[in-house]
Amino acid sequence: MIRAGAAIVDITPPAGLAMSGFAARTLPASGTHDPLTVRALAVNDTAVAVADVIGLHHEMSARIRRRCVLPDEGVIVAALHNHGGPVSMVRRLGAEADLAYLGVLEDACVKAIDEAVARQRPARLEVGLGADPDIARNRRRPDGPLDRSLPLLRVVGEDGATIALMTNYACHPVVLGADNTLWTADYPHYVRATLEAEYPGAIAIFMTGCVGDANTGHSAHASLSLAANPERTFAAAERIGRAIAEAAMRAPSQLLGEKIAASNAAVQLHFELREQGAPDALAEKWRREAAEADPVEATLLNHWVAWAERVAGRDMRPLTARVTLLDWGGLPVIGLPGEIFASTALSIRKAFGPDPLFIAGFAEDNPGYIPPQEEYAFGGYEVEEAHRYYGQPAAFAPGSAEALAAAAISLRTGG
């Protein structure tokens, strides 16, 4: 019989630490709105852990998998990708990480997995597929694709009590904007709180899906502002989170099997320098523009200057990305690194068929946006600029997203 357990470990930093997620926001955190956590669900000798941070560096994820009590190949360590959390990766996203906090974060991920394993008891798995709550919007273009899938996994003990719930939706956790200086898990906090209120004693886990081009309706550049926005408030986050949870809970569930398995693949992601001109010339151009720009725009341009002076094209070795597939009784749970776009998720879903499927972005690593081939023609922040903020030597080359999707599909087929 399946054995399953879940755990929560608090990772809320003190006020005063740097926040991550918006180049426009330079102030540290002023307090806490809702606690940040690591939440883990362990099923037999496999587990998923999700940390309420913007991303994890692959080196930290590898250490977490090695240190925890489970076999390395059976663990997915993912980030929620909330933009109301602390700096959680070294040399990425334009701010210095607090090394002491990174140690706390790593230890908490290990502890959450180990505690979930220690709490395992006989259980059954049930899954349902909720109707689209009509929350996500393609932020790059109105006719762009969306991954509308909303699965809900329910883990039920022998006594009938719900041990854990896990849901997965593809919408950027950026309801709150750059003006927010409170620690928060954004709308996923309310998804989890709503599920836990309906199932007292259960632990709810939210896996952020392939959200590289999806949020609640504003462009990436719309976040380059410190102005308050009436559509980007905690009240809006609560409304959105509740709507997603309620749609997921309305889904009829079906019993899953008892076979539990795990497999992994390594994919080489290549870089391609898309900027025209030498780094020195680019740095000088952006420096001149920053001198005449408003303070918020100048902050972003100064990030570009630093990228051109220190990073641009300097180490173009491919990045080795990990793709993981967990089979939980016939339910596939896929972990993909970075900011994946909707069409990549849809291609995987087409190959896997109509049954419920979890796809977590930001799993094992968050090296930046990994656009599908067709998106390069549209340009934009995600394709042309974001790699500078992420501290990468260049953008990922066309074909990178397709390679990740192919790896996930091959794990399903055993190819």
Side-chain angles (χ1 to χ4, degrees):
M1 191 174 183
I2 288 173
R3 293 184 61 80
I8 300 177
V9 177
D10 190 280
I11 57 168
T12 311
L17 259 65
M19 302 184 77
S20 185
F22 298 107
R25 182 176 56 200
T26 56
L27 292 175
S30 59
T32 299
H33 178 271
D34 49 275
L36 305 184
T37 59
V38 179
R39 293 160 183 254
L41 171 60
V43 178
N44 286 9
D45 60 352
T46 68
V48 165
V50 181
D52 292 350
V53 292
I54 199 162
L56 298 167
H57 196 284
H58 66 87
E59 293 173 355
M60 180 187 288
S61 296
R63 289 194 301 270
I64 292 165
R65 296 194 311 271
R66 287 195 301 266
R67 291 178 56 198
C68 77
V69 297
L70 293 176
D72 176 285
E73 64 272 13
V75 178
I76 293 176
V77 186
L80 188 69
H81 196 62
N82 51 311
H83 289 47
V87 179
S88 56
M89 298 181 289
V90 175
R91 299 183 301 277
R92 290 183 184 169
L93 295 175
E96 291 297 322
D98 183 287
L99 297 182
Y101 180 76
L102 294 187
V104 170
L105 173 61
E106 181 178 325
D107 290 347
C109 290
V110 175
K111 182 179 180 182
I113 296 168
D114 289 356
E115 286 190 359
V117 173
R119 295 176 183 177
Q120 284 182 329
R121 61 185 195 266
R124 68 178 187 269
L125 305 181
E126 302 173 357
V127 70
L129 193 58
D132 174 24
D134 193 29
I135 296 296
R137 301 288 183 269
N138 189 298
R139 73 183 193 182
R140 286 172 55 76
R141 57 187 194 278
D143 62 343
L146 289 166
D147 180 7
R148 301 179 184 275
S149 183
L150 181 61
L152 177 68
L153 173 68
R154 187 167 168 241
V155 184
V156 184
E158 284 184 308
D159 58 359
T162 300
I163 297 170
L165 302 119
M166 187 170 80
T167 193
N168 177 213
Y169 188 61
C171 182
H172 238 95
V174 286
V175 175
L176 279 300
D179 60 308
N180 172 57
T181 59
L182 297 175
W183 299 126
T184 179
D186 210 277
Y187 79 81
H189 162 67
Y190 296 103
V191 177
R192 299 182 310 211
T194 303
L195 293 173
E196 289 173 350
E198 184 70 19
Y199 295 90
I203 290 175
I205 298 168
F206 184 92
M207 297 180 75
T208 305
C210 298
V211 302
D213 51 353
N215 64 17
T216 54
H218 50 271
S219 71
H221 275 292
S223 292
L224 193 62
S225 171
L226 292 173
N229 183 329
E231 298 299 317
R232 302 182 71 176
T233 62
F234 284 105
E238 181 174 10
R239 172 180 54 80
I240 287 166
R242 287 186 179 277
I244 293 169
E246 289 166 0
M249 288 189 292
R250 285 194 291 268
S253 61
Q254 62 188 56
L255 184 65
L256 291 166
E258 296 189 354
K259 176 188 174 185
I260 306 298
S263 53
N264 314 108
V267 178
Q268 296 296 303
L269 301 181
H270 295 269
F271 294 103
E272 179 180 275
L273 196 60
R274 301 178 63 79
E275 284 80 5
Q276 301 297 315
D280 289 348
L282 289 171
E284 182 57 31
K285 170 180 175 291
W286 290 326
R287 192 179 290 108
R288 289 196 304 270
E289 292 175 1
E292 299 178 359
D294 66 73
V296 173
E297 181 71 20
T299 298
L300 186 65
L301 287 165
N302 286 329
H303 283 298
W304 291 180
V305 171
W307 173 82
E309 291 178 337
R310 305 170 193 170
V311 181
R314 282 166 172 74
D315 183 358
M316 300 285 282
R317 289 175 296 179
L319 184 149
T320 302
R322 174 180 165 117
V323 177
T324 300
L325 171 63
L326 305 182
D327 181 347
W328 282 356
L331 172 67
V333 181
I334 296 171
L336 300 175
E339 307 217 32
I340 307 297
F341 288 54
S343 66
T344 302
L346 295 174
S347 70
I348 295 172
R349 293 190 187 282
K350 182 178 180 180
F352 275 64
D355 292 335
L357 164 66
F358 280 74
I359 308 177
F362 312 102
E364 314 302 340
D365 196 10
N366 183 15
Y369 289 85
I370 308 177
Q373 192 117 13
E374 66 270 16
E375 288 296 326
Y376 286 81
F378 295 97
Y381 169 80
E382 298 87 349
V383 173
E384 304 288 353
E385 300 176 352
H387 58 279
R388 303 171 196 157
Y389 192 41
Y390 266 97
Q392 300 294 4
F396 286 106
S400 297
E402 288 73 15
L404 292 171
I409 294 165
S410 70
L411 290 175
R412 174 69 160 183
T413 61

